[in-house]
Amino acid sequence: MKQTILKPALFAACLGLICTTSAHAEIYKWVDANGKVHYSEKKDDAGKAKVEEVKVTTGEGKPSTAQNWQDQEIDFRKRQIQKQQAEARAPKPKPKEPKSSDAPDLHQETDASRCALAKNILSGKAVHGNGAITDANDKTIAERDKSIFCH
C-alpha cells in the first residue's frame, strides 16, 4: 500500500520542481567577438563574453515568466508557418509576353526601335500595356515617328 501512495506523491513532487524551475528561468544577453548579439537561457553559453541579464516583461510592464516567453516564441513560429503557407497558395503572376515578336528591345530607345514600334502601331501589332487599342492620336504619332526614325 505504501508503494501506491509513494509513486503519485513522488511524481507530483518532481512535476512541481520542474514547473518551479521553468517559471523562474532567466534570459541572458551578450555580444560575441564579431559584434553579434546573442540571447540564451544559459549563462554559460556566453563563454568569456560580458553577460547581461534581460528582464522580460509582458505588455502591462509586469515581469513575464519563461513559459510566457516560450509561448510567444511558439506563436511567432506558427504565424511564420501560416504566412509561408499563404504565400505558397497565392497565385504566381504570369510573366508578361511581348506584344510584338519582331520589334527590337524597346527599352534601348534607338532609332531602329522607334521605327519598329511606329510600324507595329500602324500595322495594329502593337497595343498599349493595359490592353487598350491604339487610337487616331497614336497612329498620328506613329506616322510622324516613322518619317523621322525609319531611313
Side-chain angles (χ1 to χ4, degrees), residues 28-90:
Y28 300 97
K29 172 184 173 183
W30 73 92
V31 180
D32 67 13
N34 297 325
K36 185 175 180 182
V37 178
H38 297 272
Y39 295 91
S40 176
E41 293 177 353
K42 299 177 191 171
K43 195 174 189 177
D44 296 337
D45 289 348
K48 295 182 180 180
K50 181 182 175 187
V51 178
E52 175 185 336
E53 185 177 343
V54 178
K55 301 289 186 196
V56 181
T57 60
T58 62
E60 299 89 34
K62 300 175 184 173
S64 175
T65 64
Q67 185 62 41
N68 187 10
W69 177 82
Q70 291 168 343
D71 290 342
Q72 290 176 5
E73 178 70 19
I74 290 168
D75 291 342
F76 172 76
R77 290 183 183 185
K78 285 179 183 177
R79 287 192 307 272
Q80 292 297 320
I81 291 169
Q82 290 170 347
K83 181 179 175 184
Q84 290 172 352
Q85 289 172 344
E87 288 174 356
R89 287 191 301 265

Side-chain angles (χ1 to χ4, degrees), residues 4-40:
T4 57
I5 295 174
L6 185 60
K7 284 183 181 179
L10 184 60
F11 178 73
C14 290
L15 185 62
L17 182 61
I18 291 171
C19 291
T20 304
T21 304
S22 67
H24 296 303
E26 297 165 344
I27 299 176
Y28 300 97
K29 172 184 173 183
W30 73 92
V31 180
D32 67 13
N34 297 325
K36 185 175 180 182
V37 178
H38 297 272
Y39 295 91
S40 176

Side-chain angles (χ1 to χ4, degrees), residues 98-129 132 134-135 137-151:
K99 298 296 179 188
S100 176
S101 59
D102 57 345
D105 184 11
L106 300 177
H107 298 290
Q108 292 184 5
E109 295 291 326
T110 63
D111 287 353
S113 67
R114 291 177 180 139
C115 175
L117 178 59
K119 287 180 178 179
N120 287 337
I121 290 171
L122 293 171
S123 69
K125 289 181 182 177
V127 294
H128 289 278
T134 55
D135 58 14
N137 185 46
D138 294 326
K139 291 181 181 180
T140 302
I141 294 170
E143 286 287 348
R144 184 201 66 200
D145 287 353
K146 183 179 172 187
S147 66
I148 295 172
F149 298 114
C150 299
H151 301 114

